[in-house]
Amino acid sequence: RMRDALQETERLAREFRAMLHQRRGDMDKLEQDSVRAGESGLDPAEVVRLLRATFSEVREQMDNDAIRVGELTVTDPLTGLGNRRAFDSALAAGEAAWKGGTALALVLFDVDRFKRINDQHGHRIGDQVLRTVAEVLRRKVDDCNRSLNDEAEGAGECASVVARFGGEEFALVLTGEGAQRAGEIAESVRAALESVNFAIRDGQGHVVEHGVRVTLSAGVAHARPGMAEPLADALFDLADKALYEAKREGRNRVRVVAGPI
């Protein structure tokens, strides 16, 4: 986890440096255009129009940078899912919604024996496995969203975030109708990944092993009245406990727990 955090920090620093370098170039160009416009002998109104257009372009680029920075800080670079920051924010928002009467559930996933995958096949293959898990998660959440929309227009989304929050660990924060279906969604993800037939390829793309199976375990927790405060922490602990039970009972399964009634 420390390695992942350092890599993310390094990635963000590189992105920020690149943006700053680009904007410095834009500011240099803005200065040059301003000088040329002032020395051009054009009508002052035309000079003002040109300068406003140039400033507007630079401002738009900086606004886009701000959006991009916001995306970078909540996105896992390997899978494209939300990162731990996005997960924490969604869980906090889910807690606030639950206190307003909206159902809330949390699903934690963990790829079974992932260290063995890395040891046997290398980190490149391990990264491919993580990207595949991410795609399965996205697809199953999309399926749930379509189902909700078919049943009731404007029913909302099943998951408020689909996140990789560390190593081989993934999470779904589910609210509303999505929370009611948490166990069903978790099982659909587990079954879908189990059916994937991985092929291991060398650096030249040649298949060196096929029929490799990857599974994951999941723990599901539903928020209930009487849970300890802060609710987000209590819910996470319950989901983590359920995940541990799934692992202890043989892996490749889903376990559901609920807080006090």
Side-chain angles (χ1 to χ4, degrees), residues 4 22 60 72 117 123 126 132 167 177 202:
D4 289 344
Q22 179 64 44
E60 181 180 357
L72 285 171
I117 296 172
H123 287 278
T132 299
E177 181 62 27
D202 61 21

Side-chain angles (χ1 to χ4, degrees), residues 1-17 72 77 85:
R1 290 182 181 179
M2 180 67 73
R3 182 195 64 195
D4 289 344
L6 290 172
Q7 288 176 344
E8 180 182 7
T9 300
E10 182 181 1
R11 177 184 66 89
L12 290 173
R14 285 198 303 269
E15 293 278 359
F16 293 155
R17 283 197 297 269
L72 285 171
R85 189 177 293 108

Side-chain angles (χ1 to χ4, degrees), residues 124-138:
R124 180 177 64 85
I125 301 302
D127 287 349
Q128 291 179 11
V129 167
L130 295 177
R131 283 191 287 266
T132 299
V133 173
E135 181 56 34
V136 170
L137 279 166
R138 268 191 293 258

Side-chain angles (χ1 to χ4, degrees), residues 12-28 61-62 65 69:
L12 290 173
R14 285 198 303 269
E15 293 278 359
F16 293 155
R17 283 197 297 269
M19 288 180 184
L20 289 173
H21 181 74
Q22 179 64 44
R23 294 294 80 81
R24 191 170 79 172
D26 291 338
M27 295 304 295
D28 289 343
Q61 292 170 341
M62 293 178 71
D65 284 349
V69 168

